[in-house]
Amino acid sequence: MNLLVISDSHGDENAVSQAVMDNPDVQGIIFLGDGERDLDAAYQINDFAKVRAVSGNADMASKKKKKAILSVMGHTIF
């Protein structure tokens, strides 16, 4: 499984878009916070990839959790 990990985009939706376009074969996107709204670009480009996101310290109004534990192909990601 190919995962794309993104963080700290801080309003640079173009950077998120470019990262997703540069990795068309990803099956999952993990966003580590600080620019949660920038994920809208990722959904528009790759709507089939599963997206997991946590809030960062700059995501003030976020309702997302600050941490998560994922199990991916027998590996645990915190």
Side-chain angles (χ1 to χ4, degrees):
M1 171 180 252
N2 293 322
L3 297 173
L4 175 64
V5 180
I6 304 170
S7 74
D8 295 283
S9 53
H10 292 282
D12 192 348
E13 191 173 294
N14 291 329
V16 173
S17 296
Q18 191 64 53
V20 175
M21 287 188 293
D22 287 348
N23 297 280
D25 58 337
V26 300
Q27 295 137 335
I29 297 171
I30 299 175
F31 187 78
L32 301 176
D34 291 343
E36 181 181 322
R37 290 188 189 122
D38 303 331
L39 283 175
D40 291 341
Y43 292 122
Q44 291 174 0
I45 296 165
N46 187 341
D47 62 349
F48 61 87
K50 183 173 181 166
V51 177
R52 292 291 304 257
V54 293
S55 67
N57 63 327
D59 294 320
M60 304 302 179
S62 178
K63 301 223 189 275
K64 296 198 180 305
K65 294 179 180 180
K66 294 197 176 289
K67 55 186 168 182
I69 298 174
L70 305 175
S71 179
V72 179
M73 297 182 68
H75 298 279
T76 301
I77 301 170
F78 176 74

